Amino acid sequence: MNFNFSDDQALFSESLQKYLSDNVTTKSIREFWTDNSHFLSSRWKELEELGFITANIDESNGGMSLDLITIALLVEKIGYSGMPEPIAEQLFLANPLINEFSSQINHNEYLAVAHDLAPHPNFLEDSKQLIFFQDQNPYLIDIEKLKIRSLESNDPSRSIYDFEANNLDDATKLESKKNLYEQVQNYGMVMSSALLLGLSKRIIDSAKLYTCDREQFGKPIGSFQAVKHMLADVAIEIEFTNALVYRAASSIQKNCSNATMHAAQAKFQSIKACEIASKNGLQAHGAMGYTWEMDLHIFIRKGWSYKGIWGSRPFVENLVFNNLKKDLPKLGATYTFMDNND
Amino acid sequence: MLLLKKETQNLIKMKIEFTESQNQFRSEIRDWFSKNVPSKPLASFDTKEGFEEHREWEKTLNQGNWSMVTWPTEYGGRALNLIEWLIFEEEYYRANAPARVNQNGVFLLGPTLMEYGTDDQKSKFLSAMAEGDHIWSQGWSEPNAGSDMAAIRATAVRNNDTFIINGQKTWSSRAAFADWTFGLFRSDPESERHRGLSFILVPLDQKGVTVRPIPQLDGEPGFAEIYFDNVEVDASCMIGDEGQGWEIAMATAGFERGLMLRSPARFQETASRLLKLYFDNQDVLSPSIASRVTHCWMQAEAYALNIYQCASKVMAGDKIGSESSLSKVYWSNLDHEMHQIAMDILGISSELKNEYLNNAASWIKGYMFSYSGPIYAGTNEIQKNIISERLLGMPRK
Ligand SMILES: Cc1cc2nc3c(=O)[nH]c(=O)nc-3n(C[C@H](O)[C@H](O)[C@H](O)COP(=O)(O)OP(=O)(O)OC[C@H]3O[C@@H](n4cnc5c(N)ncnc54)[C@H](O)[C@@H]3O)c2cc1C
């Protein structure tokens, strides 16, 4: 049992963080909003060359076979940066499917994924293929074979689409021994949790900076106890999200019998953290926080989207509740890391 | 692009599962508890009779070398790590073993002695503590030094090889029946605030000590006032140096808020009991109760995972400082919410102290006690000051 990141894991994520803070400025995000809705292919290429995009592709296919805990850490950094490009989706949703269907999928391109929990794939026009589920069965289809319509997200960083297959015969049914519908659901829950965790950290950091700088009554507003306690409440919820996200990633990686339960718990807590971060973080900025001009909402908006997709609060709460009902005798402190497969 | 070559990697990656030997350790404890935990619940340790029953239990634990598994073997421990301590605690609560009457000693003073004590002090106090011969109380608070602990006025004046202690401590848990107290005293009469304080151990049967028990909400004397009237204490009872008291006390308080005192198993067991209470009564309950119960169960797990993460950090050589304030607010609010929900579920029987249906009596006792969680070990408001100023770096003034 060890909850520390190895030097390797830490270094790898720090180098991503460095790249993101140098390159993904809020200015560049705003440019993305006004220029077009396609992702910056130069940025995608750079991240590809640095090895991030294929980090969890199998070594036999030119990746690094990185474990999902490290990937969750990377996705947290991506959340923190507010980057529009769907690297999180590539790592969490596409790459595991590419590993499984490497002969069928063009793995040099971004692969879009649609699921009942997130039916409007992000950046569909920038991908060549889509994996979607029909009656919980997975299908692979070329984008040309789809009728697609662009939708407007409340987060201009998300370029989302509605799609319709003209004919299911245009798609290939993917055969797998696993329940891919549930697997993608779990990956989606943990991905969105890691993103929300990163976003929450970004929001509290902005609020911290702002409240140390802005003065009223002749002193920084961060010296007022009401403001301090508001942000302390955020820090507490964030603190108790971290380990839940890593455990969920670990349980998925190990194919643990409780993976769904653990993913749902991580999602529930990360929604809670991001919600209080957004509410209190904005409050600490006063009216300035309520403007389009202030960068704060770039991150808050992303949170709004990822709270709803890949497992909304009622959805994950029901998952947990129904599991508790079913497993009543197996509750309590000795079962935190339990795996029925053992 | 791997940043480090395979050979030079720190190979200990995050690994969220128990080792084979940790699982074996778990079965060993489970087995021991199944044979040794008293079949009948002991009387409350805040009564004279119950206190002595709990002292006996401390002795039993020590006979099995279970008093404090993380201590070195020479003091009756097993030299195990913090993860193993967490496993021990999980089994402890699973077995429904009696509460630790000596928690101030084994969980708080013990680690403090380990870090700041001399060899003589360790050999004099640790074994007696493990054996239950010395049951400890804490003496920080005074009538005018609560949250503002640096306002302490009780004095310890050095007189060659002794200190002469005068003043008053209050709210000292277990002091009504305890053998010793540890606390902060002003050893430099000219000093102010955090300076000039020393960390001193005082036997409560010493001449000049008067203990006045104070009944708590449940009517039992869970804490006491302690008066010191020219009490003579050997200088060898000071931990660390003269004037180093504040620093040492902060380390002890850190153990109390975080890792040591409030092990997650306690809250996880309460959460599971609450779920059972819910499912036993669900036909007559509203949906919001299901929701709140589910939230609490998740929070108890979140707390446990966080503590495993903290334990991993400590084992890797990091220190847990102000982070323990995050835990303290979290567990105390969770504990209150869980008991509040139980009261909501019990409804008309929630006032019945003798009602054994649904274990109402134990929920009521826990409910009352849960009101104290946000106060003791430093109030939650003080913890939030610490979080914002020390962890977030917000301006003090
Ligand atoms: C069950 C129980 C067991 C205890 N056991 C022990 C023990 O064994 N040994 C021991 O020494 N003490 C013990 N205490 C005492 C405990 O440490 C104190 O009660 C605590 O530190 C608060 O001090 P106080 O009661 O004087 O409250 P006060 O300091 O008077 O505080 C009253 C209220 O004002 C708030 N407040 C005070 N200062 C500030 C501030 N700067 N900012 C914001 N809010 C503030 C507090 O948060 C609180 O809500 C125990 C208390 C309880 C309830």
Side-chain angles (χ1 to χ4, degrees), chain A residues 225, chain B residues 138 140-141 146-147 171-173 372 375-376 379 381-382 385:
Chain A
Q225 199 172 52
Chain B
Q138 301 188 72
W140 316 118
S141 304
S147 296
W171 316 131
S172 185
S173 299
S372 72
I375 302 172
Y376 70 81
T379 70
E381 290 70 37
I382 296 298
N385 291 348

Side-chain angles (χ1 to χ4, degrees), chain B residues 71-91:
Chain B
W71 286 9
T73 46
E74 67 218 83
Y75 304 119
R78 293 173 175 242
L80 296 176
N81 66 35
L82 284 175
I83 300 290
E84 283 140 353
W85 177 72
L86 289 169
I87 296 174
F88 171 80
E89 286 285 295
E90 288 169 1
E91 291 302 321

Side-chain angles (χ1 to χ4, degrees), chain A residues 15-34:
Chain A
S15 69
L16 176 64
Q17 189 174 19
K18 170 95 179 52
Y19 175 89
L20 295 171
S21 65
D22 291 347
N23 293 278
V24 186
T25 56
T26 51
K27 187 163 160 279
S28 81
I29 295 173
R30 285 177 184 273
E31 279 162 14
F32 170 90
W33 289 1
T34 47

